[in-house]
Amino acid sequence: GIERQDGVEYPEEWSSIHIGGKFASSVFQGTKSEFPMFVSSLIAQFLPTNGYQLDASRAHVQIMNHQFSLQDPQAQELVLIPVLNMED
């Protein structure tokens, strides 16, 4: 997906979603084989330790620049995981 820009026309067949609410954010740098462990660690350890739980009803978001490559172990991406307060 791409972020829509004001004043730019997009093809009618393209759909859009609004992403709102709370997200935990972290930068991932590594290989594609390391990514599942990274996300698992965020969900199983970081979120509960900080009073949050995964909001599985909303989409996860990954933001990469135009030079991102799965083959580059130095490539970075911003990972946004939807969260709820543990009390919710």
Side-chain angles (χ1 to χ4, degrees):
I2 62 170
E3 180 179 0
R4 287 188 174 245
Q5 303 293 319
D6 291 336
V8 175
E9 291 189 32
Y10 297 94
E12 286 185 30
E13 61 272 11
W14 286 16
S15 62
S16 63
I17 61 171
H18 171 74
I19 299 174
K22 289 184 182 180
F23 286 84
S25 65
S26 185
V27 174
F28 171 73
Q29 180 177 337
T31 64
K32 64 181 179 180
S33 63
E34 296 169 319
F35 187 75
M37 180 68 78
F38 171 78
V39 172
S40 294
S41 175
L42 283 176
I43 293 169
Q45 296 173 6
F46 176 81
L47 294 184
T49 300
N50 290 282
Y52 294 100
Q53 61 187 356
L54 174 66
D55 181 355
S57 70
R58 295 189 296 135
H60 294 58
V61 178
Q62 294 168 249
I63 300 173
M64 304 144 200
N65 69 25
H66 68 281
Q67 296 172 330
F68 181 84
S69 170
L70 287 172
Q71 289 73 36
D72 180 1
Q74 300 302 312
Q76 295 183 352
E77 62 182 283
L78 179 62
V79 178
L80 304 170
I81 297 180
V83 298
L84 296 168
N85 290 329
M86 295 216 39
E87 308 85 56
D88 294 346

